[in-house]
Amino acid sequence: LVKILAARLIGLQVAAVCNFCSLPIASTRHRLRLRGGFSAEHLRMANSGSEAKKRIGTHDGTFHCDEVMACWMLHQTKEFAGAQIVRTRDVKTLSEMDIVVDVGAVFDPSSHRYDHHQKTFTDTFDEKHVTTKLSSAGLIYKYFGREILQNIVKNVEIDYDKLYYLIYDNFIEEIDAVDNGVECYPADAVPKYKVSTMLGQRVGRLNPSWNDQGKKPDEQFQKAMQIVGDEMESIVEYYAKAFLPARSIVYAAISSRLDYHPSGKIMVLKTACPWKDHLFEIEQELQANLIYAVYEDQGGSWRVQAVPERPNSFLSRKPLPEAWRGVRDQALSDLTGVEGCIFVHATGFIGGANTQEGAMKLAEMALEI
């Protein structure tokens, strides 16, 4: 019995080696080293095939619409269809990516680097769009948009060049503007109500179009019900489980503001949370006037964020200093004298440092400038 089991075990081992050796090999440098065991490269090939999958790099931590859209659009291209998304800020890892969006402080289409946060970046979509700088979404659309559109809308006789500009004006520019803090209306205009979902337009687009009689109105109505239901459930979940519980955190931070700075204009949140709407209400209650909020982000670094003029405004009461904007890493530390700086956004509404002490120092210095 022992001999039989041993023979079967040897047979399984030989079969496994033979099956592994039958994998397609791209070149002689990938030959399997049977005596010395399998290298990490060999094992990777066994799992993914002989052709390495393309990789798209973007930043980790809180994600935003622009890089999410950029990555989705890249998946609609021939070159990056099915590419792996790698979310990191590690410089070495990013240097190994086939394409990088929204991180890295480099804009260079020839090497597929598409960041827009650096101080020197001023590109817009074209000469007609002079106000809205491109975000990573706009960058990917500008350089890959025509191919993306042809892959979305196939076998249709249309003017794709006209479509290219229509989609930017009616869809992508909004993403660029929001990410770059461009106000949609004059700063002194106060909206009469909040627009947070564009749900009405999304429902309206489900109605059968004038030249598409294949869609049944009642079926489209059911789809619309599903969309509005999902949206309402999502909104209710957010306000019940995230927004309302955050009020006590913001209240405690504003109440203890003098513990962190004698001016009472800097609050330190014990955790990142929705704070802006609560702040304006609690300020009136406690007769406070905050300028900066300091908090730890999801990645463990710290942020200093300027308080906006209104909850949904891109304008801040006191943005971070002009000289700091668009500068990052060691260059920012050299400029400010604060160790461990990470960045200051090009609009000055937010900055970051590795430690709470660093973020506090930036806030304190900004108050005095």
Side-chain angles (χ1 to χ4, degrees):
L1 178 61
V2 172
K3 290 182 178 180
I4 293 172
L5 291 174
R8 288 182 177 178
L9 179 59
I10 292 172
L12 290 171
Q13 290 174 330
V14 171
V17 171
C18 291
N19 288 335
F20 190 84
C21 290
S22 67
L23 290 169
I25 304 297
S27 66
T28 55
R29 72 182 179 87
H30 291 309
R31 297 185 191 280
L32 302 179
R33 298 181 287 106
L34 294 179
R35 288 186 180 180
F38 302 127
S39 68
E41 176 67 10
H42 298 146
L43 295 175
R44 184 192 64 75
M45 289 170 59
N47 290 328
S48 62
S50 60
E51 185 177 349
K53 180 182 288 189
K54 295 274 189 177
R55 293 187 294 172
I56 301 169
T58 190
H59 64 81
D60 56 7
T62 302
F63 52 84
H64 311 101
C65 187
D66 70 315
E67 79 268 15
V68 174
M69 177 58 67
C71 291
W72 184 88
M73 287 192 291
L74 286 171
H75 274 176
Q76 315 313 307
T77 68
K78 180 179 179 180
E79 184 174 2
F80 296 104
Q84 178 188 359
I85 307 297
V86 179
R87 301 181 66 234
T88 181
R89 293 186 186 272
D90 180 71
V91 175
K92 182 178 184 300
T93 302
L94 289 172
S95 71
E96 299 168 352
M97 298 295 104
D98 297 288
I99 187 169
V100 176
V101 298
D102 210 44
V103 69
V106 175
F107 168 53
D108 179 17
S110 66
S111 61
H112 281 333
R113 268 34 187 181
Y114 297 95
D115 196 12
H116 67 107
H117 294 99
Q118 53 274 25
K119 193 179 185 72
T120 55
F121 184 86
T122 58
D123 286 40
T124 62
F125 190 65
D126 57 25
E127 65 279 0
K128 296 179 181 178
H129 297 81
V130 297
T131 301
T132 306
K133 288 199 304 182
L134 296 172
S135 69
S136 61
L139 281 169
I140 295 305
Y141 185 77
K142 181 173 182 176
Y143 288 92
F144 295 86
R146 287 181 169 85
E147 178 190 356
I148 292 165
L149 295 177
Q150 290 175 353
N151 288 332
I152 294 175
V153 185
K154 301 177 180 178
N155 304 318
V156 179
E157 292 294 329
I158 57 172
D159 184 343
Y160 280 96
D161 193 61
K162 179 70 172 177
L163 181 65
Y164 176 68
Y165 290 101
L166 279 172
I167 297 302
Y168 184 77
D169 288 343
N170 292 281
F171 181 54
I172 300 294
E173 186 177 16
E174 176 188 347
I175 300 173
D176 287 346
V178 170
D179 194 75
N180 283 298
V182 179
E183 292 281 3
C184 191
Y185 43 80
D188 56 353
V190 179
K192 296 181 182 299
Y193 58 90
K194 294 181 180 179
V195 176
S196 58
T197 68
M198 305 301 290
L199 189 58
Q201 292 186 14
R202 290 158 60 194
V203 168
R205 284 193 293 269
L206 288 174
N207 282 285
S209 58
W210 67 272
N211 57 350
D212 184 4
Q213 302 305 315
K215 293 179 179 178
K216 299 179 179 179
D218 288 350
E219 292 180 358
Q220 294 299 103
F221 185 88
Q222 293 296 323
K223 291 180 181 179
M225 284 182 59
Q226 185 64 51
I227 286 178
V228 300
D230 289 346
E231 189 73 22
M232 183 168 183
E233 287 179 353
S234 173
I235 294 292
V236 171
E237 288 273 328
Y238 167 74
Y239 278 102
K241 297 181 179 180
F243 181 80
L244 288 176
R247 190 182 193 281
S248 61
I249 297 173
V250 182
Y251 191 96
I254 297 177
S255 297
S256 61
R257 63 194 183 280
L258 292 173
D259 296 341
Y260 292 92
H261 195 267
S263 68
K265 295 186 179 297
I266 303 172
M267 71 172 180
V268 178
L269 296 160
K270 70 177 184 180
T271 185
C273 66
W275 56 270
K276 296 175 187 176
D277 285 281
H278 293 306
L279 177 139
F280 288 91
E281 178 183 307
I282 297 170
E283 274 189 328
Q284 294 183 3
E285 184 177 339
L286 299 181
Q287 296 183 339
N289 182 31
L290 276 295
I291 299 297
Y292 298 116
V294 173
Y295 56 88
E296 186 177 14
D297 69 9
Q298 294 177 345
S301 58
W302 284 77
R303 296 286 183 261
V304 51
Q305 186 166 351
V307 174
E309 293 183 352
R310 298 189 304 273
N312 295 314
S313 174
F314 291 125
L315 299 179
S316 303
R317 291 175 176 174
K318 185 177 176 62
L320 295 172
E322 174 73 31
W324 300 358
R325 299 175 198 173
V327 186
R328 59 184 305 113
D329 302 325
Q330 189 58 47
L332 183 58
S333 291
D334 293 341
L335 179 63
T336 62
V338 177
E339 293 185 5
C341 288
I342 300 175
F343 78 104
V344 169
H345 193 275
T347 62
F349 88 97
I350 194 170
N354 289 324
T355 64
Q356 178 180 350
E357 291 75 16
M360 276 296 299
K361 185 63 176 176
L362 290 176
E364 291 169 356
M365 292 174 64
L367 277 179
E368 303 301 323
I369 295 177

